Amino acid sequence: MENPLPSQARIVVIGGGIIGCSTAYHLARDHGADVVLLEQGTLTSGSTWHAAGLVGQLRSSASITQVLKYSVELYKQLETETGLQTGWKMTGCLRLATNADRWTEYRRLATTARSFGMEMHLVSPEEVKRMWPLMDTSDLVGASWLPTDGQASPSDITQALARGARMHGVRIHEGVRVTGFDMDGNRITRVRTNQGVIACETVVNCAGQWARQVGAMAGVSVPLQPVKHQYIVTERIPGLAPDAPTLRDPDRGIYFKEEVGGLVMGGYEPNPQSWHTGLPGGDVPDDWQFGLFDDDYDHFEQHLTQAIARVPALEETGVKQMINGPESFTPDGNFILGQAHECANMFVGAGFNAFGIAAGGGAGWVLADWTMKGEAPLDLWVVDIRRFSELHRDRAWVEARTLEAYGKHYTVAFPHEEYESGRPGITSPLYERLKGHRAVFGSKLGWERPNWFAPDDVAPRDELSMGRQNWFDAVGEEHRLVREGVGVFDQSSFAKFELRGSDAAAALERICANRVARDPGRLTYTQILNSRGGIEADLTVARVSDDLFYVVTGTGSRTHDLAWITDHLPGGADVRIEDVTEGWGTLSLMGPKSREVLSAVTDADVSNAAFPFGHMREIEVADHVVRALRVTYVGELGWELHVPLAGTGKVFDALMAAGKPHGIRPAGYRAIESLRLEKGYRAWGSDITPNDNPFEAGLGWAVKLRTNTDFIGRAACEAAAAAPLKKRLAGFTTSDPSVVLLGRETILRNGSPVGYLTSGGFGYTVGLPIGYGYVRNADGVSDAFLAEGSYELVVASEAVSAELHMAPLHDPKGERVKA
Ligand SMILES: Cc1cc2nc3c(=O)[nH]c(=O)nc-3n(C[C@H](O)[C@H](O)[C@H](O)COP(=O)(O)OP(=O)(O)OC[C@H]3O[C@@H](n4cnc5c(N)ncnc54)[C@H](O)[C@@H]3O)c2cc1C
């Protein structure tokens, strides 16, 4: 321990678990930053010391897989750098399958692994028996085998990271508790502790399960829930190899790892137990260093029974120790990283859902980079703290959803599965009406949104399966309705912001890649880029008047986009931004008959001459002044009608009445997905992310490089436009219409992998599966390179022939996307 506590530091890291130590290490090693790390107890005394130490790498996000792969690379070489062992053993990992759905899941996972550059094999029960002879394999269909996974000693890695951090100049102070912050507005100026105060520029909150209460000291919401997690450590088991692979047996809900000749065995139960501390606000006690709960064999029995069935030798083996410790879990099973939108200088790294040891090395790397540069170094959207919203301040909601996510940790991951807890959360004024139309809802950022509408002879609920699901035909009907007639989508969950002020136009021109400060009444489809030219946001900007802009973006990116725009507004300028999401309902009236319907409910002239594409008008519908935006994501004539919330029901009723002769019906989000796939519209978060620039994404036309206006990412865009592109987004169809595309399928060009699908689904008008993905080539992806290839997609480990498309798949005469 170093003394005394310094009075200032550039960065204060709170928490001496694996995440805090890794972040401090990378801040100092990679950026030479002046860092103080504060730990209220001793290093590792939170969740880290009692982790089981399994280290897996494959996740469904390419970036997170990259983060976990980095952890393994780091753990391999940390001993050389620091002289401290990490206990890293590359034992490989077996995942067992006992049924057909699980086996399909693994076949898809093996393809994902290949797409992400990881080795993963599917092995037979006989092979499993050979690799792990103590196991009963009689019920196995097979297993997946990841040879580069392994295990490590959580405390040893953390101590090695701490030593490495010190070697690079980090000052680590144990026994120092952070008790609050001095704030200047939303900026932390000083960190208060039980031993004095430290002035600093930036705080990184790596306080584990305490991160929620530490965040709250600065007004920051960190939606995590401590949950009890148990495992046992057995006596030695004769015949167990010291290098036995780690084992996950999800159908039995359990995992194993070899440890000093015995086994560590734990599991994920469907009935998890939250830790209710009894303290005000559910706070975690300050003095929980090296704390554990009492052994709970009643609750653990379910795992023990399954474990004995899998490894019969356990029946004869004594239990040396039970560990029952708390770990932070989150509502979607992903960790929480990045800059909190509520506070100008607090970054967070917490909520590691029992893979903090696997993630620790890489999470520290990316969090350090993010902290220093103010931008994530790669697409970290799935873990970004800005994926949450105000809803996540509701502790009861967070707890319910988190327990559901924990309970599903080992269940088969069916495509299109929705969470059930905490619903209905936020409903649009049309909720009851749409239910009357037999809507089947999904939930996005708390909003109930109609996914599809069940015909009378189909039960209005999703029936999960690995193949085509029960909604397939119904969504096809909705799709056709919009392509050929007219449908109406309730998209009230869209996030909506207003920017006002005499400097709003100039501020938005600097933030957006496209020209948005057009004449009042114009609207523009634009991206917002980071300094690398990566796509941070994808939105529509309508100029209502000289000093008022109306911005519409995706439901899920609400907090992120609002924070990004707010953070990049120039100081001292006359511009204010307001989130008006709940003020406006949104009805998207789409289809070739939409003009006939709209003209029947308004006196406004909605002819093409009076109301062309890419324009916005305030028109009166059913006694309400509606902001009508002529724009589309489905590729047909249509309008987004933004209605003052209270009028949404009345306007919907008017549209439905006027549309009756044209067969109007409500349609859902699954139809939107199918329609947009055919038209080649990109989806943010999958097809376009901070890893991709607009030129790679085929959106170079929406970048104002021909103007002299400076905008964030301009230099990177100029460089991208001048050099050969190393990857380009392309569309694919498979010739076999029965193939199920979900995204992450490997793209083969002339038999070699060149990328993977970022999204996939089915186009009902073309009658084929459709996917999008980046084709990569280090020497550049020219038109000729694309055209000369012969393509296949690897779908659930099988290659199927595919065709590449660089133009929309359906109907070039439909509504344009350009505005
Ligand atoms: C039973 C169990 C088994 C697990 N098994 C695995 C596994 O096999 N593989 C895996 O990858 N992960 C596993 N985990 C998860 C892993 O332990 C965690 O994800 C990881 O340790 C989290 O690290 P952390 O640094 O975020 O939190 P912590 O280790 O809890 O560190 C946070 C630190 O912040 C300090 N702190 C809090 N508040 C303050 C304050 N106000 N001032 C100063 N300091 C403060 C705390 O004292 C604590 O030391 C397991 C967890 C449990 C419970």
Side-chain angles (χ1 to χ4, degrees):
M1 187 170 115
E2 293 177 27
N3 267 322
L5 203 62
S7 61
Q8 61 179 44
R10 159 99 167 75
I11 299 171
V12 173
V13 174
I14 304 170
I18 190 165
I19 305 302
C21 289
S22 177
T23 305
Y25 167 78
H26 286 93
L27 280 167
R29 189 196 73 175
D30 298 350
H31 306 278
D34 164 33
V35 180
V36 166
L37 184 148
L38 304 178
E39 164 54 49
Q40 63 184 354
T42 54
L43 296 180
T44 77
S45 63
S47 289
T48 296
W49 73 276
H50 57 55
L54 284 82
V55 176
Q57 299 166 89
L58 182 62
R59 307 288 292 183
S60 56
S61 146
S63 295
I64 303 307
T65 304
Q66 190 184 339
V67 166
L68 302 192
K69 277 163 83 174
Y70 173 92
S71 291
V72 166
E73 290 311 312
L74 179 70
Y75 300 163
K76 279 185 196 164
Q77 54 89 23
L78 212 50
E79 183 180 348
T80 315
E81 184 187 353
T82 64
L84 291 183
Q85 292 185 348
T86 60
W88 167 252
K89 273 204 289 188
M90 198 176 88
T91 54
C93 174
L94 280 169
R95 278 173 190 265
L96 310 181
T98 65
N99 58 63
D101 285 341
R102 184 72 71 185
W103 191 237
T104 304
E105 184 184 17
Y106 289 178
R107 283 175 28 228
R108 288 183 178 151
L109 269 179
T111 298
T112 301
R114 184 171 185 194
S115 293
F116 296 172
M118 279 199 68
E119 198 183 335
M120 178 167 168
H121 308 280
L122 297 175
V123 293
S124 66
E126 295 71 35
E127 185 70 0
V128 174
K129 186 80 184 169
R130 198 189 57 73
M131 295 164 88
W132 230 96
L134 292 177
M135 191 194 307
D136 176 0
T137 54
S138 58
D139 61 344
L140 295 191
V141 179
S144 72
W145 167 238
L146 276 132
T148 60
D149 278 358
Q151 61 186 66
S153 159
S155 295
D156 291 348
I157 296 174
T158 308
Q159 293 294 353
L161 286 165
R163 178 178 287 180
R166 285 193 180 100
M167 285 161 58
H168 292 288
V170 174
R171 290 163 289 171
I172 295 179
H173 293 261
E174 295 174 273
V176 178
R177 173 169 302 134
V178 172
T179 55
F181 302 107
D182 290 344
M183 310 281 297
D184 178 9
N186 71 343
R187 177 171 285 278
I188 297 169
T189 54
R190 302 198 307 170
V191 176
R192 283 188 255 127
T193 79
N194 57 353
Q195 317 241 338
V197 293
I198 307 177
C200 69
E201 288 174 28
T202 306
V203 168
V204 190
N205 173 2
C206 300
Q209 59 190 331
W210 294 265
R212 191 190 57 75
Q213 60 216 59
V214 169
M217 295 174 192
V220 168
S221 164
V222 184
L224 53 78
Q225 172 65 43
V227 179
K228 298 177 179 177
H229 189 73
Q230 301 191 84
Y231 65 83
I232 53 167
V233 188
T234 74
E235 303 286 358
R236 285 180 176 277
I237 305 177
L240 181 64
D243 58 353
T246 59
L247 194 64
R248 290 182 171 85
D249 188 357
D251 296 327
R252 293 186 183 275
I254 49 177
Y255 60 80
F256 300 86
K257 169 197 126 175
E258 187 279 339
E259 190 164 293
V260 273
L263 281 174
V264 163
M265 187 281 289
Y268 287 87
E269 58 277 20
N271 55 339
Q273 299 172 313
S274 283
W275 183 20
H276 293 133
T277 62
L279 292 180
D283 280 3
V284 175
D286 287 338
D287 57 357
W288 185 264
Q289 277 73 58
F290 298 107
L292 287 178
F293 307 112
D294 292 341
D295 299 352
D296 186 351
Y297 276 99
D298 285 346
H299 193 69
F300 197 71
E301 176 76 35
Q302 51 190 320
H303 297 316
L304 210 48
T305 312
Q306 294 292 353
I308 290 169
R310 179 60 68 213
V311 183
L314 281 175
E315 194 147 31
E316 311 297 324
T317 308
V319 173
K320 238 180 6 193
Q321 194 187 6
M322 170 173 264
I323 299 281
N324 185 3
E327 161 69 343
S328 330
F329 287 83
T330 64
D332 58 7
N334 266 321
F335 51 89
I336 304 174
L337 220 61
Q339 184 162 18
H341 74 101
E342 303 96 329
C343 174
N345 54 347
M346 178 182 276
F347 288 78
V348 178
F352 277 85
N353 293 277
F355 67 107
I357 307 308
W365 154 54
V366 291
L367 184 55
D369 212 68
W370 201 337
T371 305
M372 295 306 292
K373 297 181 183 154
E375 280 181 12
L378 56 156
D379 169 29
L380 295 172
W381 172 239
V382 294
V383 297
D384 192 322
I385 191 168
R386 293 166 299 181
R387 72 188 186 277
F388 300 118
S389 68
E390 284 304 296
L391 169 79
H392 296 92
R393 290 183 178 272
D394 179 342
R395 296 293 311 281
W397 191 94
V398 168
E399 179 180 357
R401 184 56 64 87
T402 301
L403 292 182
E404 185 186 1
Y406 179 110
K408 285 185 168 159
H409 185 82
Y410 271 164
T411 58
V412 173
F414 286 102
H416 309 290
E417 188 170 357
E418 295 276 347
Y419 284 108
E420 285 165 14
S421 55
R423 296 181 57 188
I426 310 165
T427 55
S428 107
L430 301 182
Y431 182 67
E432 290 301 333
R433 281 177 176 81
L434 298 181
K435 255 169 99 172
H437 286 275
R438 299 173 62 81
V440 181
F441 292 90
S443 88
K444 186 95 182 239
L445 210 65
W447 283 82
E448 290 294 310
R449 311 192 313 170
N451 276 339
W452 60 288
F453 291 82
D456 287 340
D457 56 348
V458 178
R461 62 170 177 272
D462 283 346
E463 275 164 24
L464 298 175
S465 83
M466 283 299 191
R468 281 187 180 165
Q469 301 184 349
N470 64 326
W471 44 265
F472 185 83
D473 291 335
V475 170
E477 287 308 311
E478 292 170 30
H479 174 119
R480 271 183 281 281
L481 182 78
V482 174
R483 278 275 182 266
E484 293 164 17
V486 58
V488 60
F489 299 96
D490 179 10
Q491 299 196 274
S492 300
S493 64
F494 269 153
K496 307 155 204 111
F497 315 130
E498 284 183 349
L499 270 94
R500 285 173 196 272
S502 55
D503 296 324
L508 276 173
E509 279 296 314
R510 164 113 185 102
I511 290 169
C512 297
N514 205 347
R515 266 192 65 214
V516 292
R518 298 170 194 257
D519 293 340
R522 293 295 307 274
L523 70 85
T524 311
Y525 169 62
T526 185
Q527 280 73 49
I528 291 178
L529 308 180
N530 58 37
S531 61
R532 304 188 308 276
I535 301 172
E536 287 285 340
D538 180 66
L539 30 84
T540 307
V541 178
R543 189 167 200 174
V544 183
S545 62
D546 281 342
D547 58 3
L548 173 59
F549 289 82
Y550 184 61
V551 177
V552 183
T553 188
T555 308
S557 36
R558 176 179 183 173
T559 308
H560 172 275
D561 291 4
L562 181 65
W564 182 279
I565 297 171
T566 307
D567 288 349
H568 291 86
L569 292 176
D574 177 28
V575 52
R576 302 167 300 287
I577 185 165
E578 188 185 354
D579 184 338
V580 295
T581 300
E582 275 77 19
W584 299 85
T586 305
L587 296 173
S588 299
L589 181 70
M590 295 286 153
K593 301 276 173 56
S594 57
R595 182 174 284 122
E596 286 163 58
V597 177
L598 188 59
S599 57
V601 294
T602 183
D603 292 335
D605 184 353
V606 295
S607 65
N608 199 47
F611 197 158
F613 189 77
H615 284 70
M616 184 217 121
R617 302 268 184 270
E618 291 188 321
I619 64 174
E620 202 172 307
V621 179
D623 301 326
H624 291 277
V625 176
V626 164
R627 287 179 178 169
L629 277 56
R630 176 106 184 260
V631 66
T632 182
Y633 193 55
V634 297
E636 299 300 333
L637 175 68
W639 285 264
E640 268 178 25
L641 303 174
H642 292 251
V643 187
L645 197 74
T648 315
K650 212 169 153 192
V651 170
F652 176 79
D653 293 343
L655 293 174
M656 291 298 285
K660 201 165 178 200
H662 307 288
I664 195 171
R665 287 209 321 265
Y669 275 85
R670 291 197 179 135
I672 294 178
E673 178 64 9
S674 160
L675 291 156
R676 77 97 193 163
L677 282 169
E678 277 181 354
K679 288 289 181 171
Y681 298 155
R682 281 72 172 124
W684 189 82
S686 53
D687 305 325
I688 49 176
T689 76
N691 286 348
D692 317 304
N693 73 46
F695 299 93
E696 295 163 339
L699 295 171
W701 57 267
V703 182
K704 57 188 170 209
L705 280 187
R706 281 202 213 102
T707 71
N708 290 325
T709 315
D710 195 17
F711 60 92
I712 299 164
R714 178 164 188 132
C717 282
E718 283 170 351
L725 293 168
K726 294 194 171 142
K727 63 175 191 180
R728 279 172 75 187
L729 192 69
F732 294 89
T733 50
T734 62
S735 36
D736 175 357
S738 70
V739 164
V740 176
L741 294 181
L742 298 165
R744 295 182 287 277
E745 293 82 359
T746 313
I747 304 167
L748 301 180
R749 179 183 177 276
N750 301 339
S752 302
V754 288
Y756 56 89
L757 296 190
T758 47
S759 61
F762 190 83
Y764 293 88
T765 306
V766 299
L768 290 174
I770 303 173
Y772 287 87
Y774 288 90
V775 174
R776 291 155 210 263
N777 182 33
D779 296 330
V781 181
S782 62
D783 289 345
F785 179 87
L786 290 168
E788 284 158 13
S790 127
Y791 294 91
E792 290 164 292
L793 297 176
V794 183
V795 181
S797 299
E798 272 170 40
V800 297
S801 72
E803 196 178 329
L804 173 135
H805 306 266
M806 292 308 287
L809 278 142
H810 171 63
D811 185 20
K813 76 179 163 34
E815 194 68 294
R816 295 171 309 153
V817 66
K818 291 191 191 191

